[in-house]
Amino acid sequence: MANAATARPPGTAADWTIPQDWARYTPKEHAVWDLLYVRQTEMLQNRACQAFRQGVEHLRLSDKGIPNFEELSARLAKRTGWRVVAVPGLVPDEVFFEHLANRRFVAGRFIRKPEQLDYLQEPDVFHDLFGHVPLLSDPVFADYMQAYGEGGLKALRLNALEKLARLYWYTVEFGLIAESSGLRLYGAGILSSFGESRFALEDSSPNRLTFDLMRVMRTRYRIDDYQQSYFVIDNFDQLLHQTRDADFSPLYRELETLPDLAPDAVIPSDRIVSRGSQKHAYRGKFQ
Ligand code: PHE
Ligand code: CO
């Protein structure tokens, strides 16, 4: 998502965007997208939330090849007013939030190499488009993302970004949703990951806990492995109202007085959907 300040690379606009240069993708790069798309769509049958599946359809993501940002933005803008813009890599926090607050989703334009299908450090165009963009065509989730951008600008002023970033992590990137047919995925970090999309729903290792705003903002997270805890929302309305319609200033002050929680912690006030064995944590991701 975002990053501490670095110098703006040459060739980027003042808002850090660059042209996608769609014509420069090679057939091999398009083939990597197609492979990831087919594999992941198969994996997500009965695992992705309904809004995601509808988004994929509305945006015609099943068309072959890496999507053209202009065409994708035209379809997305018709639904929710969001657009997708290309950036060279991580951008400063303020730039990132400013884009979100204006309904622009910043996406990487490079695609992973065929030998990196399962793991890569920096988000590429598959993670950013396939993982994030379908949900931006859902009107409620679209409002949540815009409000998050505004909230990010405020958190920067209040020196509370570390807490607010956890909310992004445990919702936008790694969120689960309880649908009538069962638990489903809506977090982009899971939806774009072949391994974690099964792990997050079916493995006995991680905790699955009912979403609680303050609880989430106290919880540290792992960036080097599958998550040890996932938080489950009931629906996007709940998420939107609990965040956009609350003033976080007093919450940030309260958080200053509360200890952080470990990624695998379970505390007495938690509402547990399923308690994890945390077995996976001892093995590590790639063994
Ligand atoms: N309402 C929050 C605040 O006062 C901002 C926010 C909106 C944060 C949506 C997260 C998501 O800071
Ligand atoms: Co992401």
Side-chain angles (χ1 to χ4, degrees), residues 1 105 123 127-128 131-132 168 172-173 188-189 192:
M1 79 185 240
F105 189 76
H127 166 78
D128 281 334
H132 285 282
Y168 191 92
V172 178
E173 293 291 356
S192 65

Side-chain angles (χ1 to χ4, degrees), residues 21-71:
D21 274 339
W22 187 83
R24 284 184 51 177
Y25 291 118
T26 64
K28 278 201 176 112
E29 289 176 319
H30 285 298
V32 171
W33 172 282
D34 291 342
L35 184 61
L36 288 165
Y37 181 88
V38 167
R39 190 177 76 149
Q40 202 56 17
T41 306
E42 183 106 328
M43 172 60 85
L44 293 180
Q45 295 269 345
N46 301 315
R47 291 195 176 91
C49 70
Q50 206 181 332
F52 177 86
R53 288 183 278 116
Q54 278 171 357
V56 166
E57 201 177 301
H58 289 150
L59 300 172
R60 301 217 331 243
L61 283 186
S62 61
D63 288 2
K64 287 270 174 185
I66 300 168
N68 180 315
F69 288 11
E70 294 285 326
E71 292 171 18

Side-chain angles (χ1 to χ4, degrees), residues 144 147-148 151 154 164 167 243-244 246-248:
Y144 172 65
Y148 186 91
K154 173 171 157 184
L164 186 69
L167 176 63
T243 54
R244 183 191 59 188
D247 178 7
F248 279 27

Side-chain angles (χ1 to χ4, degrees), residues 264-279:
D264 61 344
V266 176
I267 58 173
S269 53
D270 285 338
R271 277 172 299 155
I272 299 170
V273 178
S274 61
R275 186 175 186 137
S277 66
Q278 301 300 336
K279 256 197 184 135

